[in-house]
Amino acid sequence: MARSRARGDAARAHARCICRILLEARPAGLLFPQLLAACELTPAQAWSGIAMLKDTIVDNGWPPLVVTRRDGYLFTAAPDELESYEVAKIREKLTEVRRLITATVAPHAALAPDDKRVRHIVTQLNSVESTLDLIA
């Protein structure tokens, strides 16, 4: 328990560091190697910090975070940038859900057509797919 709590505390500290560096870099972003250098973090520390940042960004009142290949990680409030990023991420998740359905869940359902749990998974994933498709 103490070890996982310590890791969480470390991730929170890394998230605060990453946030500070990204706020200082605004409006520009930082590519991952630049972020590592600026924060003096290892890649593992940076990944845990980014994950914690994403989990706590709203609670801390920090601006929206986006990641692009060209600009890297950046905070932005530009509606066009946010919409483009959101649509791209939704399309990515839609592809992941579709592949999960076609590669795993549908073949499983064919093998076990009377399995209530599998039918429930199929129903829920089809609902998720429809919702993502509507907003993409």
Side-chain angles (χ1 to χ4, degrees):
M1 182 80 128
R3 183 179 166 132
S4 64
R5 194 176 85 234
R7 238 183 279 159
D9 292 342
R12 275 187 277 285
H14 302 324
R16 285 191 298 274
C17 177
I18 291 167
C19 178
R20 181 179 50 80
I21 295 298
L22 290 177
L23 287 171
E24 289 174 7
R26 283 195 327 183
L30 293 174
L31 298 173
F32 191 70
Q34 295 170 316
L35 191 59
L36 291 178
C39 293
E40 298 180 349
L41 297 173
T42 67
Q45 290 170 328
W47 288 125
S48 69
I50 290 167
M52 182 63 73
L53 178 66
K54 290 177 178 180
D55 289 344
T56 60
I57 201 164
V58 171
D59 296 339
N60 289 308
W62 295 330
L65 177 70
V66 299
V67 186
T68 67
R69 287 184 183 186
R70 185 183 57 143
D71 298 321
Y73 292 85
L74 68 139
F75 287 126
T76 184
D80 290 345
E81 287 181 27
L82 291 171
E83 185 176 338
S84 294
Y85 180 73
E86 291 162 355
V87 168
K89 291 304 280 186
I90 290 165
R91 286 185 179 145
E92 179 183 312
K93 296 302 175 191
L94 178 58
T95 299
E96 288 179 26
V97 168
R98 284 183 173 148
R99 287 182 178 153
L100 175 62
I101 292 168
T102 60
T104 307
V105 178
H108 185 187
L111 290 173
D114 297 330
D115 188 325
K116 184 177 178 180
R117 182 183 151 280
V118 175
R119 284 196 323 266
H120 181 69
I121 292 170
V122 168
T123 302
Q124 293 302 312
L125 285 176
N126 284 334
S127 175
V128 169
E129 179 186 21
S130 295
T131 301
L132 291 175
D133 196 32
L134 281 173
I135 58 179

